[in-house]
Amino acid sequence: MKNFIYITFIALLFISCKQKSETKIAEPELSIADKIANAHGFENWKNVTEIRFTFNVDRDSSHFERTWNWKPKTNDVVMMTTKDTITYNRKSIDSLSMRADQGFINDKFWLLVPFQLVWDEGTTISNPIKAEAPISKTEINKITLTYANDGGYTPGDAYDLFYTDDFLIKEWIFRKGNQKEPSMITTFENHQDFKGIKIALKHKKQDENWNLHFTSIKIILE
């Protein structure tokens, strides 16, 4: 009788343990910002100690460029143009470095906008919907990123981001001050992988001889 009770106890214990092992803890659903950022390699950003890139804009026959070295863990920044080299730290911006920092924020935003979705504070992100992309005219996913009306260099701006089912951004509409009419519409093209970080190297406007593109990208990991 004692052996029967012991065997029954072991059997019940086994069933109980098996049920616990089969019970999965529900993981929280990722936000759309996290899904887009992760699709572009955000999980690898924690290992980045330095990123170098050149921001280029070609408009008709004119060309503009500036090169950046950024150490995100220390916030040290170096801007290099044909006229100047400015070194500063984003924790202590003065009147000399403020203009350079405005350029840095702009160029970094173009480069890493998928990450800005999770980095930036004081923003709202709409629920995703299906919508027609403005350039390709294909129906894909759309969210709207809106900045608060105070703080930052360009408060109140809005961006309509169009992305495919794999969460890669393909086009966007920039609306200055959250106005109804578009201020700029461009593509996101030629996604390339740099140490696990996916970057769209080219941005073009429709029916215009205009091309914003990145060159000399180098990512250094710790």
Side-chain angles (χ1 to χ4, degrees), residues 16-66:
S16 176
C17 291
K18 184 178 180 181
Q19 288 176 339
K20 288 181 180 179
S21 65
E22 292 176 348
T23 302
K24 295 182 179 179
I25 299 174
E27 296 182 358
E29 176 70 17
L30 291 176
S31 69
I32 190 61
D34 289 324
K35 290 178 180 178
I36 292 174
N38 288 343
H40 292 81
F42 186 65
E43 68 277 7
N44 299 310
W45 182 258
K46 63 182 181 296
N47 301 317
V48 175
T49 59
E50 186 173 354
I51 180 169
R52 306 171 186 171
F53 64 95
T54 299
F55 173 89
N56 307 267
V57 178
D58 293 313
R59 181 184 291 110
D60 296 324
S61 60
S62 67
H63 174 78
F64 169 81
E65 69 177 61
R66 54 192 168 201

Side-chain angles (χ1 to χ4, degrees), residues 53-68 79-84 99-100 102-104 106-108 110 209-215:
F53 64 95
T54 299
F55 173 89
N56 307 267
V57 178
D58 293 313
R59 181 184 291 110
D60 296 324
S61 60
S62 67
H63 174 78
F64 169 81
E65 69 177 61
R66 54 192 168 201
T67 297
W68 300 96
M79 182 194 76
M80 291 167 283
T81 68
T82 55
K83 297 180 178 179
D84 297 299
R99 187 167 183 178
Q102 290 174 339
F104 172 71
N106 176 80
D107 299 359
K108 176 176 67 73
W110 278 95
N209 189 10
W210 184 97
N211 179 26
L212 186 154
H213 56 106
F214 293 97
T215 56

Side-chain angles (χ1 to χ4, degrees), residues 2-177:
K2 289 182 179 180
N3 289 338
F4 174 77
I5 294 174
Y6 177 75
I7 292 172
T8 302
F9 172 76
I10 293 297
L12 290 173
L13 183 62
F14 173 77
I15 293 172
S16 176
C17 291
K18 184 178 180 181
Q19 288 176 339
K20 288 181 180 179
S21 65
E22 292 176 348
T23 302
K24 295 182 179 179
I25 299 174
E27 296 182 358
E29 176 70 17
L30 291 176
S31 69
I32 190 61
D34 289 324
K35 290 178 180 178
I36 292 174
N38 288 343
H40 292 81
F42 186 65
E43 68 277 7
N44 299 310
W45 182 258
K46 63 182 181 296
N47 301 317
V48 175
T49 59
E50 186 173 354
I51 180 169
R52 306 171 186 171
F53 64 95
T54 299
F55 173 89
N56 307 267
V57 178
D58 293 313
R59 181 184 291 110
D60 296 324
S61 60
S62 67
H63 174 78
F64 169 81
E65 69 177 61
R66 54 192 168 201
T67 297
W68 300 96
N69 284 12
W70 175 36
K71 297 180 179 178
K73 294 186 183 300
T74 60
N75 254 334
D76 291 314
V77 178
V78 180
M79 182 194 76
M80 291 167 283
T81 68
T82 55
K83 297 180 178 179
D84 297 299
T85 297
I86 298 177
T87 301
Y88 67 100
N89 187 283
R90 299 204 67 243
K91 297 176 183 177
S92 55
I93 296 174
D94 56 22
S95 58
L96 179 64
S97 58
M98 181 174 291
R99 187 167 183 178
D101 194 60
Q102 290 174 339
F104 172 71
I105 291 300
N106 176 80
D107 299 359
K108 176 176 67 73
F109 191 88
W110 278 95
L111 184 79
L112 299 172
V113 63
F115 298 172
Q116 301 294 156
L117 291 172
V118 296
W119 280 341
D120 290 346
E121 299 178 353
T123 62
T124 58
I125 298 176
S126 68
N127 291 325
I129 62 171
K130 290 288 185 180
E132 183 180 86
I135 295 178
S136 66
K137 304 303 181 183
T138 58
E139 186 176 77
I140 52 177
N141 307 292
K142 172 191 171 184
I143 58 170
T144 297
L145 168 68
T146 308
Y147 284 81
N149 290 322
D150 54 356
Y153 293 127
T154 55
D157 290 343
Y159 299 83
D160 301 316
L161 305 175
F162 297 83
Y163 61 95
T164 48
D165 289 340
D166 58 1
F167 300 102
L168 289 182
I169 298 174
K170 296 296 185 178
E171 300 178 27
W172 73 353
I173 299 173
F174 163 58
R175 294 182 288 110
K176 185 175 178 59

